[in-house]
């Protein structure tokens, strides 16, 4: 089928290429003319404007949007007047699920359909396929099944879960209609919240291994330094990259994230060039907010989110307050 792809960044361009390789026709649009020209050189169709994009699609049109969450509303405001009743807009980015509920209602009033599709797979998705978490009308989801099946990894990507009847649902292919508007991005939100926690656990554990040689180095002996009671217990110079490689084989904590971590450490054991400022694009915050609203505990995900804030220097003032208080009550002077 022919589909429009609005946004040809790292995710959008790779998804478009996966669709093209399977025989779909993709009309690509991006703000940059050079980006569109590059996409055309790779076999896609290009649009110079949003109106041109719409004109190259046959009704009922389908336009998949892969833009940052903050840009979705503005893009939909430009696109909607160009479309006709029965056309479908898909947001495959990382929007807040409550925005999807609002957008779905507003677009339905104009006779337009809207799907929110949480998309996981990163820069590897073009080859591995994308895990798709879909929200919206069941009939519209079913009509786009050929697109979802092409983008998803496929049933052969991993063995089926023991005891699960073969062919019992699309989840085994790597895509799932999760529910009405917002459901897809809700599931993706929790997916990314879990990702925050898993990533933090790997990072913390590997850091403990990295510092297991603390007993070998010399230590200040003063009132501002906690003593290392048993230096002989911390005499290990672990090869962290080798440990990560080891854990990939037979360990209960093996995962694709661990595979990627091992690859990073193999390429760059000391991780030179990384400042350690870890961004968050919103899903972790929204996951914690949802947990609060539901009244369920999420201490691991919350701690991982706050650690990301701290990594970007957002705890600097709090740290200075702590140092100031120690100085006030005990005359403790910060060590250089």
């Amino acid at each position: 089928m022919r589909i429009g792809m609005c946004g040809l960044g790292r995710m959008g361009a790779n998804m478009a290429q996966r669709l093209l390789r399977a025989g779909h026709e993709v009309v690509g649009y991006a703000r940059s003319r050079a980006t569109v020209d590059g996409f055309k050189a790779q076999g896609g169709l290009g649009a110079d404007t949003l109106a041109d994009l719409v004109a190259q699609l046959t009704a009922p049109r389908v336009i998949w949007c892969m833009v940052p969450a903050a840009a979705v509303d503005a893009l939909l405001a430009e696109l909607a007047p160009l479309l006709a009743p029965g056309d479908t807009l898909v947001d495959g980015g990382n929007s807040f699920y409550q925005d999807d509920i609002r957008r779905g209602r507003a677009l339905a009033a104009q006779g337009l359909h809207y799907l929110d599709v949480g998309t996981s797979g990163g820069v590897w998705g073009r080859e591995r396929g994308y895990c798709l978490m879909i929200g919206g009308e069941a009939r519209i989801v079913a009509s786009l099944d050929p697109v979802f099946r092409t983008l998803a990894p496929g049933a052969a990507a991993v063995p089926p879960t023991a005891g699960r009847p073969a062919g019992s649902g699309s989840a085994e292919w790597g895509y799932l209609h999760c529910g009405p508007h917002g459901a897809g991005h809700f599931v993706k939100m929790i997916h990314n919240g879990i990702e925050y926690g898993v990533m933090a656990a790997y990072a913390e554990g590997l850091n403990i291994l990295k510092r297991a040689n603390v007993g070998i180095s010399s230590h200040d002996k003063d009132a501002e330094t906690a003593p290392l009671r048993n230096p002989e217990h911390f005499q290990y110079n672990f090869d962290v990259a080798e440990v990560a490689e080891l854990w990939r084989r037979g360990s209960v904590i093996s995962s694709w994230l661990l595979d990627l971590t091992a690859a990073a450490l193999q390429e760059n054991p000391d991780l030179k060039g990384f400042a350690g400022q870890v961004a968050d694009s919103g899903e972790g915050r929204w996951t914690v907010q949802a947990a609060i609203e539901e009244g369920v505990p999420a201490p691991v995900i919350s701690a991982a989110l706050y650690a990301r804030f701290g990594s970007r220097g957002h705890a600097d003032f709090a740290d200075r307050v702590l140092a100031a208080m120690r100085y006030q009550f005990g005359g403790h002077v910060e060590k250089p």
Side-chain angles (χ1 to χ4, degrees):
M1 65 182 294
R2 179 174 285 202
I3 185 172
M5 181 65 72
C6 201
L8 296 171
R10 286 174 299 180
M11 290 287 285
N14 282 347
M15 293 171 72
Q17 285 298 320
R18 188 172 175 87
L19 290 168
L20 287 171
R21 289 192 319 202
H24 296 280
E25 294 181 322
V26 183
V27 183
Y29 170 78
R31 300 293 185 187
S32 166
R33 177 62 181 270
T35 300
V36 175
D37 289 342
F39 179 64
K40 291 168 64 176
Q42 295 174 334
L45 302 171
D48 296 328
T49 65
L50 290 177
D52 184 23
L53 172 68
V54 172
Q56 293 188 57
L57 300 173
T58 304
R61 304 169 187 85
V62 177
I63 299 177
W64 191 300
C65 302
M66 288 301 295
V67 299
V72 174
D73 279 329
L75 177 59
L76 296 184
E78 289 186 71
L79 272 173
L82 303 174
L83 300 176
D87 291 346
T88 299
L89 287 162
V90 179
D91 176 12
N94 282 324
S95 289
F96 185 37
Y97 78 97
Q98 294 179 18
D99 290 335
D100 295 315
I101 297 172
R102 168 179 55 79
R103 291 168 186 154
R105 289 173 179 167
L107 292 170
Q110 302 175 55
L112 302 175
H113 303 291
Y114 177 79
L115 300 181
D116 52 283
V117 181
T119 306
S120 181
V123 296
W124 297 89
R126 183 174 65 180
E127 305 304 325
R128 290 169 52 99
Y130 300 88
C131 178
L132 304 173
M133 297 146 266
I134 309 163
E137 303 164 72
R139 178 176 64 86
I140 304 304
V141 173
S143 72
L144 294 184
D145 192 78
V147 172
F148 298 138
R149 187 159 292 217
T150 297
L151 289 172
V158 295
T161 299
R164 177 186 172 88
S168 57
S170 66
E172 65 190 45
W173 281 80
Y175 65 100
L176 180 68
H177 180 211
C178 300
H181 292 136
H185 278 146
F186 192 100
V187 175
K188 178 57 161 48
M189 173 182 76
I190 304 306
H191 166 284
N192 282 26
I194 292 170
E195 181 183 289
Y196 278 36
V198 174
M199 290 173 68
Y202 280 135
E204 291 176 8
L206 293 173
N207 192 39
I208 295 170
L209 287 175
K210 185 75 171 175
R211 292 281 294 163
N213 62 358
V214 65
I216 299 173
S217 57
S218 61
H219 298 274
D220 294 338
K221 294 179 174 59
D222 54 45
E224 306 304 319
T225 304
L228 184 63
R229 290 188 58 184
N230 301 109
E232 66 274 15
H233 294 170
F234 298 93
Q235 302 278 324
Y236 305 112
N237 282 309
F238 292 117
D239 187 327
V240 177
E242 285 297 287
V243 173
E245 187 66 24
L246 168 70
W247 286 347
R248 295 181 59 221
R249 292 164 170 79
S251 165
V252 296
I253 63 167
S254 60
S255 71
W256 187 39
L257 277 173
L258 183 58
D259 293 345
L260 297 174
T261 303
L265 291 169
Q266 178 64 35
E267 296 168 5
N268 185 0
D270 293 323
L271 301 179
K272 294 177 180 177
F274 290 96
Q277 298 182 16
V278 187
D280 74 289
S281 54
E283 298 88 346
R285 303 183 190 206
W286 303 333
T287 299
V288 172
Q289 290 169 1
I292 292 170
E293 292 295 327
E294 294 175 6
V296 299
V300 172
I301 297 173
S302 299
L305 174 65
Y306 292 141
R308 291 192 178 202
F309 295 163
S311 77
R312 304 198 298 271
H314 296 176
D316 285 356
F317 184 73
D319 292 339
R320 291 197 295 273
V321 170
L322 290 173
M325 286 191 290
R326 293 188 79 245
Y327 178 75
Q328 288 293 327
F329 69 64
H332 300 282
V333 178
E334 288 182 278
K335 298 184 68 174

